Amino acid sequence: MEGFFDLHTSYDLFPEISEKPGYQISVVIPLFNEQDNVLHLMRAVQNALTGYDYEVIAVDDGSTDNTVRMLKQVADQRLKIITMTRNFGQTNAMAAGIAHSSGEFVATLDGDLQNDPADIPSMLEHARTGGWDIVAGYRANRQDGWLLRKLPSRIANAMIRSLTGVHLRDYGCTLKIFRRETADRLGLYGELHRFIPVLGNVAGARMTEIPVRHHKRLYGKSKYGLGRTTRVLGDLLLMIYMQRWMRKPMHLFGAVGMTFLGSGMLLLVWQMLRLFSETTGTLAGLALSLTGVMVVLMGLIAEMLMRTYYEGAGKTPYSIREIITGPVRNGHAFPPPPLKTVTGETVRS
């Protein structure tokens, strides 16, 4: 979670974000050492969104090359440049960009030109007409190496689908469209950007996916490699916990703890019946019992932390899509009464 609190406590330093003009769509682009791609990328976004009321939030994530200087060369009224104090990682850069955006919809896009901005309009239309909260892109014809990129990605995608129950083809594709309220609820930190669909599922978002174009990287070097595998597995465990037990941690810790405690007690009883004939069995029973007690106590602590998280921060463990007031007939709310004017004032009849 390094960097998460640094970013979020710094928002008060930017009072302009509280006066949001509101655009049709905000395009958030995390960038790290992409100096050779910046000019081509900004031109591609401009061409793709001609006719739209849009803004681009370019987040430089501590680049050590000329990425920021290239961004300043193409700066205009639609481009907001956010420079991080150091490299916080793609997830935190994405979170900062979303927090400083103001569009009705938010698009996230890689800065390496492998995602095609020309797909954004069709994804936006799909989100509008279908009422989707998240429209995820999947790379139908992925232009990456098979051994180091495609194969590990397919294994990871299959594992995430089977363990989380969120059945999307391509978790690694950054190109996605979000409704504003969904983007604000994601709670991105650490390295959870690849698990955005799972975070959306936890928040109750309606999701779909459509095929998008994918291009070979022409400039710069890839920031991904096999070294991220262990981090992905760790984050996957966190996602499973958040999906199944975050709001009810005692269901997990209680079950595990009572299993250990019950096993330990049974072993101790067996040893008593045998008059403690084996020291090893006795020690094992004590160890299992103590472990069970510790796990149950961990569950109680997790339960208290969960309640503090929701109650102390004014959060709720649920999200409401719509509130309908008034009587309902045939599944539809009654229309409001007509307006009429009385002595210069407009009132409901």
Side-chain angles (χ1 to χ4, degrees):
M1 295 179 63
E2 184 180 9
F4 175 71
F5 296 106
D6 298 342
L7 287 172
H8 284 68
T9 54
S10 69
Y11 288 164
D12 289 339
L13 300 177
F14 302 93
E16 69 274 12
I17 68 174
S18 62
E19 301 176 0
K20 298 181 177 180
Y23 294 89
Q24 285 180 293
I25 186 166
S26 299
V27 182
V28 175
I29 310 175
L31 296 161
F32 178 64
N33 290 345
E34 298 289 359
Q35 62 178 14
D36 296 323
N37 288 315
V38 167
L39 298 181
H40 304 286
L41 177 63
M42 294 303 160
R43 187 179 302 116
V45 171
Q46 184 180 33
N47 292 337
L49 296 179
T50 299
Y52 287 86
D53 185 18
Y54 72 94
E55 65 173 348
V56 178
I57 314 295
V59 185
D60 177 71
D61 189 24
S63 294
T64 56
D65 63 0
N66 293 316
T67 296
V68 175
R69 185 169 67 85
M70 302 303 290
L71 284 169
K72 290 179 178 178
Q73 288 184 13
V74 295
D76 59 17
Q77 71 276 11
R78 294 191 181 276
L79 174 61
K80 180 182 292 185
I81 303 170
I82 299 174
T83 59
M84 312 287 270
T85 56
R86 61 177 176 84
N87 180 245
F88 287 95
Q90 183 176 351
T91 301
N92 288 317
M94 195 178 292
I98 291 172
H100 287 78
S101 66
S102 59
E104 177 189 0
F105 288 85
V106 177
T108 54
L109 184 70
D110 264 338
D112 56 11
L113 283 175
Q114 290 194 268
N115 293 146
D116 197 327
D119 287 311
I120 294 177
S122 61
M123 296 177 72
L124 177 60
E125 182 63 21
H126 199 71
R128 285 186 184 279
T129 58
W132 299 104
D133 299 315
I134 300 176
V135 176
Y138 70 88
R139 296 162 288 187
N141 186 24
R142 186 174 177 181
Q143 302 296 310
D144 280 325
W146 171 259
L147 184 61
L148 296 180
R149 298 296 298 277
K150 287 186 180 180
L151 181 60
S153 181
R154 290 192 177 185
I155 293 173
N157 287 331
M159 185 182 301
I160 295 170
R161 283 194 298 268
S162 62
L163 292 176
T164 65
V166 181
H167 295 280
L168 296 183
R169 292 178 177 87
D170 190 357
Y171 280 84
C173 183
T174 303
L175 182 54
K176 295 179 177 69
I177 299 284
F178 309 88
R179 288 187 182 274
R180 160 58 51 194
E181 56 272 22
T182 301
D184 289 339
R185 288 203 307 261
L186 286 176
L188 292 173
Y189 59 90
E191 293 190 14
L192 299 183
H193 60 275
R194 59 179 63 89
F195 292 102
I196 283 177
V198 183
L199 291 172
N201 176 262
V202 171
R206 298 181 65 238
M207 286 180 290
T208 188
E209 60 180 348
I210 61 175
V212 296
R213 283 161 281 201
H214 191 251
H215 306 291
K216 290 184 178 180
R217 176 184 267 273
L218 298 178
Y219 310 105
K221 296 181 179 179
S222 173
K223 314 302 187 299
Y224 301 102
L226 292 177
R228 60 180 174 156
T229 303
T230 55
R231 298 195 297 271
V232 172
L233 291 175
D235 289 336
L236 178 57
L237 291 176
L238 174 62
M239 289 296 96
I240 295 172
Y241 175 80
M242 289 180 66
Q243 267 193 314
R244 301 179 184 178
W245 298 295
M246 181 177 176
R247 296 178 179 86
K248 45 187 179 182
M250 273 304 292
H251 288 199
L252 170 64
F253 290 98
V256 174
M258 294 306 295
T259 299
F260 276 104
L261 181 59
S263 300
M265 295 300 294
L266 286 174
L267 188 54
L268 286 175
V269 171
W270 172 254
Q271 288 296 106
M272 289 177 62
L273 294 175
R274 299 182 62 186
L275 300 177
F276 299 98
S277 59
E278 295 182 9
T279 304
T280 303
T282 304
L283 292 176
L286 289 172
L288 286 171
S289 299
L290 290 174
T291 301
V293 172
M294 290 176 62
V295 172
V296 171
L297 290 176
M298 287 174 60
L300 292 172
I301 294 172
E303 190 79 22
M304 294 302 103
L305 288 174
M306 182 272 296
R307 294 179 183 275
T308 301
Y309 171 78
Y310 284 114
E311 296 172 9
K315 298 178 180 291
T316 59
Y318 56 84
S319 58
I320 299 173
R321 179 179 299 277
E322 184 180 18
I323 297 177
I324 300 175
T325 59
V328 175
R329 177 180 58 188
N330 296 329
H332 301 284
F334 283 104
L339 294 173
K340 65 180 181 180
T341 303
V342 180
T343 61
E345 295 182 358
T346 302
V347 298
R348 292 279 181 193
S349 59

